[in-house]
Amino acid sequence: MRLLHTSDWHLGRAFHRVGMLGAQAEFIGHLVATVRERGVDAVVVSGDVYDRAVPPLAAVELFDDALHRLADLGVPTVMISGNHDSARRLGVGAGLIGRAGIHLRTDPSACGTPVVLSDAHGDVAFYGLPYLEPALVKDEFGVDKAGHEAVLSAAMDRVREDLAGRPPGTRSVVLAHAFVTGGEPSDSERDITVGGVAAVPAGVFDGVDYVALGHLHGCQTLTERVRYSGSPLAYSFSEAGHRKTMWLVDLDAGGAVTAERVDCPVPRPLARIRGPLEELLADPALAPYEQAWIEATLTDPVRPAEPMARLTERFPHTLSLVFAPERTPDDPDVSYARRLAGRSDQQIAEDFVAHVRGTAPDEREQAVLRDAIDAVRADDAVKEVAR
């Protein structure tokens, strides 16, 4: 069976205030053409279909168009909700849509109920594990501690229990939306840390033939059977070095996996350039980037006059301008944002306590801070689902 694995469409998202709906529509057209031209038997979409719980109307219309075009091909599609989606909204009409071969899996309680497709070698069971917000699903899965590993392990136990009751030789595919250990994040994914821990081990998914992951925006192979497709478009300058693709996966009669990357259309390349303004304007080595979307970091010791206007004369698609004068980290003029760069909410809170009180928080106090941060995250998730 030949699968096309994609995820993280983020329909409705902009890139530094540049609307991406046209590029997203081009990607949908490319996906449909790939399904038709490469003999795809099933499409799997591993979450974050939309960029937010209540997407703009134009994004909903594009999603509707995608569903119609996939249904017209007669190729089944299995799709789960991600942490950016409202699972309840995405799942509206799932039963009716399923009759057209588009199978939406947004209900955590249905993790152990697969979509079963068949080929010449027998059945393939597709299990959809939508994004499982630990604070919201811990009771459903009967786990004591609300953590990603605990709820995903419980969901996978249901998958393995169902699979064990199926005819011998039944192959299996799991769709999941999670941060799996070994994956490389970028700046454009929403933080899903709980209890200071975001990642779950790949071993959680043992026992199935292929795991189609979503959440991280870079295409990655964690094992031969566990892969991220990544987002089809770049959504932050941290993705400037990404090659945006989908996975074309062949599952043979025995469940062995072979996979090929299929490139996605690039609306405009991304580039990060850095240096004093005058050097950036004059450097001939930067000529290939003149039509790219640009993030420029200026290292001039004093902020130059009209930097954006001057930059756009040479690089008309400059979208982001950062000032980073070459200074030592202990320089009092180093910005607050630069001092906090790369630090987690937990680390920032602990540093604040140490600064105000003169001593760092002990283990009990660290746990209190962690619980407070997790409670805010859970409350935000509940409010977003209820919108």
Side-chain angles (χ1 to χ4, degrees):
M1 183 170 287
R2 172 163 284 187
L3 319 176
L4 188 63
H5 168 198
T6 176
S7 73
D8 296 274
W9 295 357
H10 289 277
L11 300 181
R13 188 165 186 161
F15 181 74
H16 288 267
R17 300 176 302 281
V18 174
M20 297 293 284
L21 208 64
Q24 291 168 339
E26 185 179 0
F27 161 70
I28 295 298
H30 171 69
L31 180 146
V32 170
T34 301
V35 171
R36 184 174 56 248
E37 295 166 6
R38 299 298 300 270
V40 171
D41 299 305
V43 177
V44 294
V45 186
S46 299
D48 282 354
V49 174
Y50 292 120
D51 189 55
R52 57 181 186 265
V54 184
L57 179 59
V60 178
E61 290 173 338
L62 179 56
F63 178 59
D64 180 66
D65 177 64
L67 295 187
H68 278 86
R69 295 172 74 178
L70 287 168
D72 286 345
L73 291 175
V75 175
T77 297
V78 184
M79 185 177 296
I80 62 172
S81 50
N83 61 301
H84 280 251
D85 299 308
S86 166
R88 293 173 64 184
R89 280 188 169 83
L90 188 64
V92 168
L96 184 61
I97 295 171
R99 298 180 188 178
I102 309 292
H103 305 280
L104 300 175
R105 290 295 184 262
T106 63
D107 183 357
S109 67
C111 285
T113 305
V115 175
V116 180
L117 305 177
S118 300
D119 63 8
H121 305 291
D123 290 345
V124 181
F126 291 78
Y127 298 89
L129 278 56
Y131 172 66
L132 302 175
E133 174 61 44
L136 302 182
V137 301
K138 65 184 182 67
D139 293 337
E140 164 66 33
F141 291 105
V143 298
D144 296 329
K145 187 176 181 181
H148 288 285
E149 184 173 354
V151 296
L152 269 172
S153 295
M156 282 302 301
D157 286 343
R158 294 187 183 184
V159 168
R160 285 184 283 264
E161 181 181 0
D162 179 86
L163 192 57
R166 294 192 173 275
T170 299
R171 290 156 291 162
S172 54
V173 175
V174 165
L175 291 74
H177 196 87
F179 185 1
V180 179
T181 304
E184 183 67 30
S186 63
D187 292 344
S188 55
E189 300 114 6
R190 182 181 296 169
D191 181 27
I192 59 171
T193 301
V194 170
V197 178
V200 299
V204 163
F205 300 103
D206 285 351
V208 296
D209 293 310
Y210 184 70
V211 181
L213 292 175
H215 180 57
L216 300 184
H217 288 184
C219 181
Q220 300 170 61
T221 300
L222 304 186
T223 74
E224 285 303 305
R225 297 186 182 276
V226 182
R227 300 170 187 263
Y228 282 101
S229 66
S231 60
L233 297 165
Y235 292 116
S236 73
F237 278 103
S238 67
E239 301 168 56
H242 286 190
R243 174 188 165 198
K244 295 300 184 181
T245 60
M246 302 177 285
W247 282 113
L248 192 66
V249 177
D250 286 317
L251 201 61
D252 76 7
V257 170
T258 56
E260 171 192 347
R261 292 177 71 177
V262 178
D263 289 299
C264 295
V266 179
R268 189 179 297 277
L270 274 58
R272 284 174 145 172
I273 59 177
R274 180 186 183 93
L277 178 58
E278 295 300 337
E279 290 185 12
L280 297 182
L281 295 176
D283 188 352
L286 299 181
Y289 307 132
E290 289 177 352
Q291 295 305 312
W293 277 323
I294 293 289
E295 178 186 72
T297 300
L298 301 185
T299 60
D300 303 76
V302 177
R303 183 176 300 210
E306 300 183 334
M308 181 61 89
R310 296 172 66 191
L311 272 170
T312 54
E313 288 180 5
R314 182 179 185 189
F315 305 103
H317 303 288
T318 301
L319 300 181
S320 176
L321 185 57
V322 180
F323 294 97
E326 299 290 358
R327 297 185 177 123
T328 60
D330 56 355
D331 189 317
D333 289 332
V334 172
S335 73
Y336 181 68
R338 287 187 66 196
R339 292 199 301 272
L340 296 186
R343 302 183 68 75
S344 68
D345 291 342
Q346 179 81 16
Q347 291 170 321
I348 293 169
E350 291 179 11
D351 287 351
F352 177 76
V353 172
H355 174 74
V356 171
R357 193 175 63 185
T359 58
D362 59 25
E363 290 186 5
R364 182 187 65 81
E365 292 167 329
Q366 289 173 3
V368 170
L369 289 170
R370 186 178 303 116
D371 289 345
I373 292 168
D374 288 348
V376 172
R377 284 193 61 261
D379 186 58
D380 287 345
V382 170
K383 289 177 179 176
E384 186 157 306
V385 168
R387 289 175 66 190

